[in-house]
């Protein structure tokens, strides 16, 4: 511990004991230390955490001493002011911090920070208030810890039957977190970012701003007019590391009074091209008002929650011949291409989709994880126009790489208004290093293959962010240079979510952090 004055070391040791006193009653773990951020001496780090615990309350600073953990500690602020305190503290000690709303970013990194040793700011536990639901304007104002379920239930409890919310496949996540990652749902309000109005943001140097009309004191339009006056800055706080959002306005959809979900089945993979061509004018013309989903047969089977061994016990991807059998099974459903929902079993996945199409939160889709033992998700999510040729190119690219790596291919096209995302969730055994590597290699190949054809991901897993950011490299990486300029101006100490979306602050840049 050379270089640290003796009295400081003693102080740090006492602070360390104190922290362990706070959070760790079990003395057998006393010797275990959290993973410490690079560039900080461990006792100085523990002492800094103790200082933070004095500001936020001991119960709200939790050291994470679990083995193999990425985060060093988790802090739970209760207000915008406390978020500011954390940010100022991080600047003082140059400690990387990583904000999450609820941390359920499954398929894209969950609650994990990008840099090992980061302190995670968990906004879920104590910043989970619904600040306003306005039944006249059809808007709400939320803190980051409000889940889709909580918002739905609050609207129901108030008897506001005239308003719908929009939900992603999994309703357990945060409305703010999902929207900041530019997530999607399936009603006409499925583009969550497009439906937000107004942010409150703590900047990496501790100042607080309100965007849009929120900048005008006494306004009553923060949630009804998203733009305000001057440059529209909201976008830079999505998929970025430029600020911590502490409040967000969201617009709500009028209940249409009635709706109908349709289920069509198509028996041949080659049908995909024509199907997409038919869907495009229906979506752009808003005749099909909801975000449409085209799901592969295996995906529909996987979501039943049974292991793949129920259908196939061999190694590698499920072969076509087995799929034909499954397909034949599906064909036992009355032969019309349009399926009458009353002929389906009550637990059919159709009914989950039907609920989601009406903004009712659901979790059934998570059953995929049962497909393999110790199942984990990681997603490949390229964007294309709603065109049959593009669908076929992406489909065959994904299929070829999945076959090569012996992984079952579970694609779904999510058709927005003028574009579609292909979402391929790789479900793999997280305890099997061979399967983990295959998932990672397969994803990395697909990202490169897609970029060569002009397709880019709309969102990606933490581990793939550098690679995906690297594909958006037009004009000698002009966009990343701009992002880095913003990062250095807004976050000179480089404390906020270093590496998120491939944006590294200057003190990390080019020092081997990129993957
Ligand atoms: P968080 O994990 O809290 O936030 C996401 C990221 O945004 C964080 O990692 C952080 O970097 C940033 N962030 C969060 N809060 C803040 C803040 N306050 N300030 C600054 N930055 C912040 N996603 C969809 O969009 N649509 C789907 O239909 C969908 N279906 C899925 C189906 C399956 C089977 C799986 C596995 C995943 C699916 N996902 C889907 C992905 C994911 O589960 C959801 O998007 C989920 O809502 C994200 O978690 P969260 O809302 O808790 O966000």
């Amino acid at each position: 511990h050379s270089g640290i004055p003796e009295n400081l070391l003693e102080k740090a040791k006492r602070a360390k004991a104190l922290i362990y006193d706070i959070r760790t009653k079990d003395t057998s773990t006393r010797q275990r230390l959290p993973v410490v951020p690079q560039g900080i001496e461990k006792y100085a780090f523990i002492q800094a955490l103790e200082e933070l615990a004095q500001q936020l309350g001991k119960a709200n600073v939790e050291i994470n001493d679990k083995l193999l953990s990425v985060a060093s500690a988790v802090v739970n602020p209760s207000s915008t002011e406390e978020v500011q305190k954390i940010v100022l503290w991080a600047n003082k000690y140059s400690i990387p911090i990583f904000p999450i709303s609820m941390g359920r970013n499954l398929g894209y990194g969950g609650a994990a920070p990008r840099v090992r040793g980061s302190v995670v700011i968990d906004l879920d536990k104590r910043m989970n208030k619904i600040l306003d639901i306005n039944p006249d304007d059809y808007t709400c104002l939320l803190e980051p810890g409000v889940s889709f379920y909580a918002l739905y239930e609050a609207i129901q409890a108030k008897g506001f039957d005239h308003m719908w919310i929009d939900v992603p496949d999994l309703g357990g996540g945060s409305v703010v977190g999902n929207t900041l990652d530019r997530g999607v749902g399936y009603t006409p309000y499925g583009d969550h970012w497009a439906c937000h109005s107004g942010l409150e943001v703590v900047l990496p140097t501790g100042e607080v701003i309100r965007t849009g009309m929120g900048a005008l004191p006494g306004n009553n339009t923060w949630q009804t007019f998203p733009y305000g006056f001057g440059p529209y800055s909201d976008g830079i706080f999505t998929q970025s590391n430029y600020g911590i959002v502490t409040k967000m306005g969201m617009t709500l959809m009028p209940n249409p009074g009635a709706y109908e979900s349709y289920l069509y089945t198509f028996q041949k993979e080659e049908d995909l091209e024509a199907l997409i061509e038919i869907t495009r004018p229906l979506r752009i013309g808003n005749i099909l008002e909801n975000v449409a989903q085209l799901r592969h047969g295996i995906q529909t089977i996987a979501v039943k929650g049974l292991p793949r061994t129920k259908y196939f016990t061999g190694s590698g991807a499920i072969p076509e011949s087995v799929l034909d059998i499954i397909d034949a099974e599906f064909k036992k459903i009355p032969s019309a291409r349009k399926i009458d929902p009353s002929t389906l079993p009550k637990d059919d996945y159709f009914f989950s989709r039907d609920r989601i199409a009406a903004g009712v939160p659901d979790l059934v889709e998570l059953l995929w994880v049962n497909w393999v033992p110790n199942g984990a998700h990681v997603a490949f999510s390229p964007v294309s126009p709603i065109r049959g040729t593009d669908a076929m190119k992406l489909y065959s690219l994904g299929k070829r790489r999945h076959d090569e790596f012996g992984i079952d291919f579970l694609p779904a096209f999510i058709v927005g208004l003028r574009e579609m995302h292909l979402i391929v969730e790789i479900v793999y055994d997280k305890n099997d290093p061979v399967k983990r590597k295959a998932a990672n290699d397969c994803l990395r190949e697909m990202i490169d293959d897609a970029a060569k054809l002009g397709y880019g991901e709309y969102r990606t897993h933490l581990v793939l962010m550098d690679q995906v950011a690297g594909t958006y490299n037009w004009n000698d990486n002009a966009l990343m240079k701009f992002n880095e300029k913003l990062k250095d101006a807004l976050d000179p100490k480089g404390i906020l979510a270093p590496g998120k979306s491939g944006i590294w602050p200057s003190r990390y840049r080019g020092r081997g952090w990129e993957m």
Side-chain angles (χ1 to χ4, degrees):
H1 306 120
S2 61
I4 302 180
E6 199 52 38
N7 60 344
L8 183 62
L9 193 62
E10 281 313 308
K11 237 174 125 185
K13 277 181 183 161
R14 275 205 310 281
K16 179 191 152 202
L18 238 171
I19 290 270
Y20 276 91
D21 234 28
I22 302 166
R23 302 304 305 166
T24 318
K25 298 293 171 220
D26 176 7
T27 48
S28 67
T29 58
R30 276 193 166 223
Q31 293 316 309
R32 277 198 356 225
L33 281 171
V35 37
V36 169
Q38 215 183 63
I40 301 161
E41 208 284 334
K42 65 185 171 189
Y43 288 132
F45 178 62
I46 299 286
Q47 191 189 25
L49 279 179
E50 167 59 13
E51 185 185 310
L52 191 63
Q54 275 163 14
Q55 292 188 50
L56 303 187
K58 287 175 182 173
N60 302 313
V61 176
E62 187 167 356
I63 285 193
N64 181 13
D65 60 1
K66 290 189 191 76
L67 291 173
L68 300 177
S69 240
V70 187
S72 57
V74 180
V75 294
N76 303 118
S78 67
S79 63
T80 302
E81 292 70 31
E82 287 196 351
V83 173
Q84 284 178 282
K85 283 183 187 167
I86 299 167
V87 165
L88 293 174
W89 168 86
N91 274 283
K92 183 172 163 192
Y93 294 105
S94 296
I95 291 173
I97 49 177
F98 191 87
I100 54 167
S101 285
M102 292 184 72
R104 309 231 173 127
N105 210 4
L106 308 178
Y108 299 113
R114 173 65 178 82
V115 164
R116 203 164 150 74
S118 297
V119 172
V120 168
I121 305 177
D122 183 359
L123 301 160
D124 166 25
K125 296 220 167 42
R126 300 170 73 218
M127 292 183 70
N128 52 18
K129 287 185 282 304
I130 297 173
L131 300 167
D132 185 39
I133 298 177
N134 188 316
D136 302 320
D137 297 338
Y138 293 71
T139 60
C140 60
L141 182 66
L142 308 173
E143 286 191 332
V146 177
S147 69
F148 291 96
Y149 271 101
L151 180 59
Y152 175 78
E153 282 160 13
I155 289 173
Q156 298 297 305
K158 284 180 183 289
F160 292 154
D161 290 340
H162 62 296
M163 293 190 297
W164 275 14
I165 68 165
D166 183 277
V167 296
D169 290 328
L170 305 176
S174 150
V175 181
V176 173
N178 178 283
T179 304
L180 291 178
D181 222 24
R182 299 201 292 264
V184 298
Y186 302 91
T187 74
Y189 281 40
D191 179 348
H192 292 165
W193 180 246
C195 293
H196 100 286
S197 184
L199 300 176
E200 180 184 88
V201 188
V202 175
L203 298 177
T205 38
E207 302 89 339
V208 187
I209 60 166
R210 288 189 175 179
T211 65
M213 297 307 293
L216 194 141
N219 80 83
N220 59 359
T221 40
W222 196 17
Q223 272 65 70
T224 51
F225 183 61
Y227 306 122
F229 180 77
Y232 180 56
S233 42
D234 290 39
I236 66 164
F237 298 108
T238 64
Q239 292 190 6
S240 79
N241 46 16
Y242 299 153
I244 302 176
V245 173
T246 45
K247 293 182 183 64
M248 187 189 78
M250 196 73 188
T251 53
L252 299 166
M253 185 180 141
N255 180 343
Y259 74 100
E260 185 180 353
S261 301
Y262 301 101
L263 172 63
Y264 284 85
T265 63
F266 302 88
Q267 288 154 11
K268 292 192 234 97
E269 292 186 349
E270 311 86 83
D271 287 340
L272 178 64
E273 183 160 358
L275 176 55
I276 296 281
E277 287 296 309
I278 291 166
T279 307
R280 184 182 59 248
L282 294 176
R283 272 299 283 139
I284 294 180
N286 245 331
I287 294 162
L288 272 180
E289 286 180 292
N290 281 65
V291 172
Q293 276 214 356
L294 292 95
R295 304 170 73 97
H296 193 273
I298 312 188
Q299 207 199 42
T300 307
I301 295 165
V303 86
K304 285 184 184 299
L306 297 171
R308 76 194 291 272
T309 45
K310 176 104 175 59
Y311 307 95
F312 180 62
T313 49
S315 59
I318 295 188
E320 214 55 56
S321 56
V322 175
L323 283 185
D324 289 345
I325 300 166
I326 294 166
D327 189 46
E329 285 297 305
F330 271 118
K331 284 183 206 155
K332 288 180 186 159
I333 296 169
S335 61
R337 282 161 32 121
K338 182 180 177 190
I339 306 296
D340 176 355
S342 67
T343 63
L344 294 171
K346 289 281 164 282
D347 65 346
D348 192 277
Y349 184 58
F350 170 83
F351 297 106
S352 169
R353 291 249 61 92
D354 185 53
R355 287 190 288 277
I356 289 169
V360 181
D362 209 273
L363 289 173
V364 172
E365 182 128 334
L366 214 45
L367 290 175
W368 279 357
V369 287
N370 296 343
W371 189 240
V372 295
N374 314 304
H377 295 284
V378 61
F380 170 61
S381 320
V383 179
S384 79
I386 314 168
R387 284 198 220 120
T389 46
D390 294 287
M392 292 310 282
K393 277 194 225 168
L394 283 170
Y395 183 86
S396 42
L397 172 166
K399 178 101 179 71
R400 185 167 47 83
R401 288 296 184 187
H402 277 64
D403 284 347
E404 180 185 335
F405 289 97
I407 299 170
D408 294 331
F409 188 40
L410 310 176
F413 285 96
I414 316 293
V415 186
L417 202 56
R418 282 185 176 72
E419 57 72 46
M420 57 189 185
H421 308 348
L422 167 62
I423 305 287
V424 180
E425 286 280 1
I426 295 186
V427 186
Y428 63 97
D429 181 344
K430 62 175 182 268
N431 294 349
D432 181 337
V434 176
K435 295 276 181 352
R436 271 208 314 265
K437 183 172 181 330
N440 184 59
D441 291 351
C442 181
L443 277 157
R444 288 199 179 273
E445 295 292 357
M446 289 192 299
I447 291 166
D448 283 347
D449 291 345
K452 280 183 201 133
L453 297 173
Y455 302 112
E457 280 62 44
Y458 96 101
R459 185 177 175 189
T460 199
H461 191 282
L462 280 173
V463 81
L464 302 166
M465 284 179 173
D466 292 314
Q467 187 187 356
V468 169
T471 63
Y472 286 78
N473 58 10
W474 180 79
N475 194 16
D476 192 22
N477 288 306
L479 182 61
M480 182 51 81
K481 286 177 188 163
F482 172 74
N483 289 340
E484 289 175 347
K485 215 180 260 181
L486 275 180
K487 181 66 180 165
D488 292 342
L490 292 173
D491 185 7
K493 287 272 176 82
I495 47 107
L496 187 61
K500 167 99 187 177
S501 295
I503 306 166
W504 292 97
S506 60
R507 79 182 169 103
Y508 289 80
R509 210 171 294 148
R511 292 188 162 83
W513 288 89
E514 297 85 353
M515 295 202 289

